[in-house]
Amino acid sequence: VAAGLLVLAAVVWDLRPEPTVEHPFAGSDLVAGTSLAEADLRWRAVPRGLLPEVEPHGVLVVDVAKDEALLRSHRTDVAIPAGWWVVEVEVPPGVVVGNPVRVAVTNTGALEATLVEGVVVRGSAGGLGGSPGAVAVPEAASALVAAAARGNQLVVLAGS
């Protein structure tokens, strides 16, 4: 009888529902630079621990497809100046969100690089080399910086 009760308890334990939490997902295709609002998100139950907790506000630093889970790396709390655009770039070690930077574009054909002011909206993961990040730049320079980033012809400069 005791063995039967033990087996029954094990079955009940295995069949219990997994604890869930509500997590934000994109309600439509969202583009980098979008200031997140409640109307942009759909909340879904996911198993606890499956996705890291994320604040459902801020500004997107990457495009997020409809029905994609919102992650910490998708957003920033840095206010991107009006009319500025976010470009994914490699940022130097130790550069954190909110740091002002200069982006040196080297593909202009000139002897000197073109310097563009920017602000880091997704910082470095640390370590010895640079790591993927994102920098907001003025609209007037956004196409130049994006083309240089695609051609790996730019460097992010950080002061101290």
Side-chain angles (χ1 to χ4, degrees), residues 40-93:
D40 297 321
L41 305 173
R42 302 291 177 265
W43 293 82
R44 296 189 185 146
V46 296
R48 182 179 310 278
L50 177 66
L51 297 168
E53 288 185 35
V54 62
E55 295 294 326
H57 56 77
V59 178
L60 290 178
V61 295
V62 296
D63 293 345
V64 180
K66 181 180 180 179
D67 296 326
E68 186 176 344
L70 183 65
L71 302 176
R72 290 180 196 147
S73 61
H74 291 162
R75 52 162 300 283
T76 183
D77 288 323
V78 171
I80 298 172
W84 284 36
W85 292 82
V86 176
V87 180
E88 292 193 39
V89 296
E90 186 173 296
V91 296

Side-chain angles (χ1 to χ4, degrees), residues 11 50 64 87 97 102 146 152 156 160:
V11 168
L50 177 66
V64 180
V87 180
V97 171
R102 288 191 178 157
N152 200 25
V156 175
S160 56

